[in-house]
Amino acid sequence: MNKPIPVLEIFGPTVQGEGSVIGQKTMFVRTAGCDYSCSWCDSAFTWDGSAKGDIKWLEPNEVLDSLRETGGGCFSHVTISGGNPALLKPLGGLTALLKEKGYRIALETQGSIFQEWFADIDDLTISPKPPSSGMVCDFTKLTAIFESLEKMNRLQSVTLKIVIFSDEDLEFAKGVHQKYPGLPLFLQVGNDDLNSRDTNDLAQKLLEKYEGLVEKVCADEDLTNVRVLPQLHTLIWGNKRGV
């Protein structure tokens, strides 16, 4: 029997705003709970208790029904987000059901926990948190996850993504790139203005930061095989939720 999972939001179709699947039309399932508390987290409501009353405990078939009710027949791709969905072993019931029904699945996690159901993920983004987050990346655990995925012949589904807020973060990213040179690396500008309600003003500030990051990466001999991205959904919708 499938166990229920704590779901905070189901929304879409929209476009993925981050990582290797940027621009991908997708539905989102946002789960509750995280083992980190990043200083600049743009979805802190998933772990800080402020949205505790919004959590719905849903079984896999109920999640699928909600996806179809919300998205109709306008999607073939589902993104599981958080928080950190990798905390939830019962998500395996949902990923298995989505695969059975022919949907592609994306997941982002910081690389602190491995789950067997990672084998179901088509687009697996591992996002180690840089110094500006206030968190410390456990590279022993991260390496073990990659080793497990390689044994499952699923390493080809993995990309690395690191959010950049500072020069220290960029140095951290270089270290990650050197440690795991075989994995595609995406660098993304971070949004440090989570309270702004002026989408145009926020977009302009983020584009200026993006230009600065591009210039630094292009001038760096240690970052020759990376991709530099804006945060697409923030440029379009600012800090709005559910898009």
Side-chain angles (χ1 to χ4, degrees):
M1 181 178 178
N2 287 313
K3 294 182 179 180
I5 57 176
V7 177
L8 275 170
E9 297 179 311
I10 294 177
F11 61 91
T14 184
V15 293
Q16 174 60 254
E18 304 180 337
S20 64
V21 286
I22 190 169
Q24 170 69 52
K25 182 180 178 182
T26 189
M27 293 291 293
F28 273 86
V29 177
R30 188 184 298 280
T31 61
C34 193
D35 50 330
Y36 280 18
S37 54
C38 296
S39 61
W40 35 251
C41 181
D42 61 2
S43 52
F45 61 92
T46 62
W47 52 263
D48 66 6
S50 62
K52 186 177 180 180
D54 297 329
I55 297 173
K56 295 180 180 179
W57 289 88
L58 303 178
E59 294 185 5
N61 63 308
E62 293 176 308
V63 176
L64 180 57
D65 287 346
S66 183
L67 284 166
R68 288 173 168 171
E69 181 180 346
T70 304
C74 297
F75 70 98
S76 60
H77 189 277
V78 177
T79 298
I80 302 173
S81 183
N84 182 12
L87 288 170
L88 305 172
K89 187 175 182 179
L91 263 174
L94 176 61
T95 61
L97 179 60
L98 291 173
K99 296 305 292 182
E100 176 189 330
K101 300 300 182 182
Y103 295 104
R104 289 182 61 85
I105 309 171
L107 174 84
E108 179 173 328
T109 177
Q110 57 261 47
S112 57
I113 298 170
F114 173 78
Q115 296 288 357
E116 293 290 336
W117 52 259
F118 282 5
D120 293 329
I121 307 301
D122 300 288
D123 306 304
L124 178 56
T125 299
I126 305 291
S127 182
K129 303 310 177 189
S132 63
S133 70
M135 301 291 104
V136 177
C137 178
D138 187 330
F139 284 102
T140 301
K141 290 182 178 179
L142 185 58
T143 299
I145 289 174
F146 294 144
E147 290 173 347
S148 295
L149 288 164
E150 187 171 23
K151 290 177 182 177
M152 299 165 65
N153 196 29
R154 294 301 298 164
L155 202 56
Q156 72 277 5
S157 68
V158 178
T159 55
L160 286 163
K161 188 202 80 177
I162 299 176
V163 182
I164 306 298
F165 286 86
S166 65
D167 289 343
E168 189 179 11
D169 288 352
L170 192 57
E171 287 299 313
F172 171 83
K174 283 198 286 187
V176 172
H177 189 41
Q178 290 164 356
K179 192 172 184 63
Y180 309 108
L183 293 174
L185 175 62
F186 292 77
L187 303 181
Q188 181 178 295
V189 171
N191 174 18
D192 55 7
D193 189 359
L194 300 177
N195 296 315
S196 174
R197 293 294 177 264
D198 188 333
T199 298
N200 291 333
D201 180 65
L202 179 61
Q204 183 59 43
K205 290 177 180 177
L206 289 175
L207 284 172
E208 291 172 0
K209 290 181 63 178
Y210 178 56
E211 181 180 8
L213 180 59
V214 168
E215 291 174 352
K216 289 177 181 178
V217 170
C218 288
D220 197 315
E221 294 181 356
D222 294 323
L223 293 169
T224 59
N225 187 26
V226 300
R227 302 180 191 184
V228 189
L229 300 177
Q231 198 176 48
L232 183 60
H233 59 285
T234 307
L235 295 180
I236 301 172
W237 294 294
N239 289 317
K240 186 177 180 182
R241 274 180 57 179
V243 290

